Amino acid sequence: PPPPRVAAGGGGGLKPGQEIGDLVIGAEVINYDMDCRSFKYMWDPGYKLKLGETPFVPWAYVYQADPVMMELAQAAPPPPGNKILTGRIASGSKFCDTEAKAAMAVTHWPEIGNPDCCEMENAAVAQICRAYDVPYLSLRALSDLILGDAAADFNDFCERAADNLVPIVCFVVARAPIPDLAGTSVDLGNAMGAHPADRKPDPASSSS
């Protein structure tokens, strides 16, 4: 099996009671930019696609954290003065300032399960890991909150958020089950969830 991946970075808090520097473990990650709700399947016009759901790819909706990796992160000691939370992370291509977060609390967040923080990378990484059956964990340190100036807070507190992330990443990586990579390969046919029975791995696209 491939080695696990940890995606770590900053994020914007979306819940009351959060503080700058708090860590969010992504039990689930969802892409709020994937919006095909107006699309209808020709063979099932009554089915309503959800915000974040990718058409034609049944597993490409909510990306679950690897349970072993998540338990390791939950066991890590919290940074001084902050707490470790577990919840849902929303990814998109928008830097969400305070006004955007307030607006999306009406237009987006209820549609995707009221996430705990938002950021701009994780869903893409999570989708690729899910496609190739790679164990995956997302960790976000809050650099801004639902109140205040998100841009100024990000610039002021990004380094603090990063400092809080490093120990928990090291804690998880030091204890994560890392497989022996000798003789392993990656089947590129799984990129869209397809595993044709007669397909053989392409040596040119395999890594060992």
Side-chain angles (χ1 to χ4, degrees):
R5 297 293 190 270
V6 177
L14 298 176
K15 296 287 182 68
Q18 295 174 332
E19 298 178 350
I20 297 289
D22 284 350
L23 302 178
V24 178
I25 301 168
E28 301 161 329
V29 178
I30 189 167
N31 178 6
Y32 68 75
D33 268 345
M34 175 54 69
D35 188 355
C36 293
R37 288 174 290 179
S38 62
F39 180 78
K40 303 292 182 184
Y41 291 126
M42 181 173 59
W43 60 88
D44 189 6
Y47 181 80
K48 295 182 178 180
L49 287 158
K50 305 173 186 69
L51 182 63
E53 185 177 5
T54 302
F56 308 110
V57 189
W59 51 261
Y61 177 32
V62 178
Y63 305 103
Q64 306 285 340
D66 176 75
V68 174
M69 302 279 285
M70 186 169 68
E71 286 183 10
L72 286 173
Q74 291 170 331
N82 285 109
K83 53 189 175 292
I84 297 177
L85 313 167
T86 301
R88 178 169 289 198
I89 295 175
S91 292
S93 58
K94 181 183 184 69
F95 178 81
C96 294
D97 58 18
T98 306
E99 290 75 19
K101 290 176 184 176
M104 295 171 80
V106 177
T107 61
H108 285 68
W109 307 148
E111 297 286 329
I112 58 170
N114 292 307
D116 294 271
C117 75
C118 58
E119 46 78 60
M120 302 176 67
E121 302 89 22
N122 265 281
V125 181
Q127 183 170 342
I128 293 300
C129 288
R130 173 64 181 81
Y132 293 103
D133 296 323
V134 176
Y136 168 82
L137 179 68
S138 170
L139 299 172
R140 295 283 124 172
L142 300 184
S143 57
D144 53 273
L145 306 172
I146 54 174
L147 299 176
D149 186 327
D153 287 345
F154 176 86
N155 290 322
D156 289 342
F157 298 111
C158 188
E159 185 173 348
R160 174 181 167 187
D163 288 343
N164 281 359
L165 272 172
V166 171
I168 189 172
V169 171
C170 292
F171 184 94
V172 171
V173 171
R175 293 161 177 80
I178 307 296
D180 182 0
L181 298 184
T184 63
S185 64
V186 174
D187 183 356
L188 299 183
N190 195 28
M192 292 300 288
H195 267 309
D198 58 349
R199 184 184 184 279
K200 296 181 179 180
D202 179 1
S205 62
S206 299
S207 60
S208 58

